[in-house]
Amino acid sequence: MAAPTPASKIPKPTSRVVDNQLARALGCMPSFRGSLAGRPTYSAWAWGQLKDSQPAWLITISGGDLRKDGPVTITFDRGLEHLRSNVDGSAKADASYRIDPDPRSHNVLKGQIKGGVISLDQPATLHLLQNPLVAPEFTLARARMRLALKPDGTLSGIIGRLSAVG
């Protein structure tokens, strides 16, 4: 058994940022990169494990006539109920949820509908309480959003953030 390291040999904590380019290296691997065609491998696995215990995230779009171009208010909230899923694992359409009254998961953002696409007026920060057992909070800084209104009333699109790597 090795002798313990003397206190004088243990490095002192520093506030210096370590830049080892890990994000750049992992960002180059297709299995870690997300796309509109599919989820990254780890994220898909994690979602499969969490979705039945994850409180639903609710998006409310409000404004004048949502069939016309114009300003809208986009509200993100956490639901009190867990996500309801179809047999294939996709989110169940037309499910009803109650909004969690905790203000830490209430986000009100301004946006626009233009050509049937809803987008934010400017990058925003989303903050939602998540699954307390795994990831207690979710914060997405400098978020952007593009959601297309489909004829059946559903939305298709992406919510994410651009990040300069490299």
Side-chain angles (χ1 to χ4, degrees):
M1 182 170 185
T5 304
S8 63
K9 299 287 186 187
I10 296 174
K12 302 229 183 297
T14 177
S15 62
R16 187 175 69 97
V17 175
V18 176
D19 182 8
N20 63 9
Q21 305 270 340
L22 179 64
R24 181 181 177 137
L26 293 180
C28 294
M29 297 171 60
S31 61
F32 283 92
R33 202 175 340 153
S35 73
L36 294 176
R39 293 185 182 112
T41 303
Y42 175 75
S43 297
W45 174 83
W47 173 246
Q49 302 304 308
L50 292 175
K51 70 181 175 70
D52 292 330
S53 65
Q54 172 69 42
W57 291 358
L58 312 175
I59 303 172
T60 305
I61 312 293
S62 56
D65 186 343
L66 298 180
R67 295 171 292 184
K68 297 180 181 176
D69 290 355
V72 292
T73 300
I74 304 144
T75 308
F76 288 84
D77 286 294
R78 179 176 120 145
L80 290 173
E81 293 80 21
H82 297 149
L83 175 69
R84 293 183 180 96
S85 301
N86 294 315
V87 175
D88 67 358
S90 62
K92 188 176 211 85
D94 300 320
S96 294
Y97 298 93
R98 294 172 297 155
I99 294 174
D100 186 339
D102 190 326
R104 295 176 295 170
S105 289
H106 182 69
N107 304 266
V108 179
L109 310 170
K110 297 297 179 191
Q112 296 288 324
I113 296 178
K114 189 172 186 180
V117 176
I118 303 166
S119 60
L120 296 173
D121 284 344
Q122 60 187 8
T125 298
L126 290 176
H127 184 82
L128 294 161
L129 298 178
Q130 198 167 324
N131 187 322
L133 299 174
V134 180
E137 296 182 29
F138 173 81
T139 300
L140 184 61
R142 300 189 312 269
R144 297 183 184 257
M145 179 186 84
R146 291 181 58 85
L147 300 174
L149 292 164
K150 295 168 70 174
D152 64 0
T154 61
L155 298 171
S156 175
I158 188 164
I159 301 168
R161 109 173 216 193
L162 297 175
S163 180
V165 179

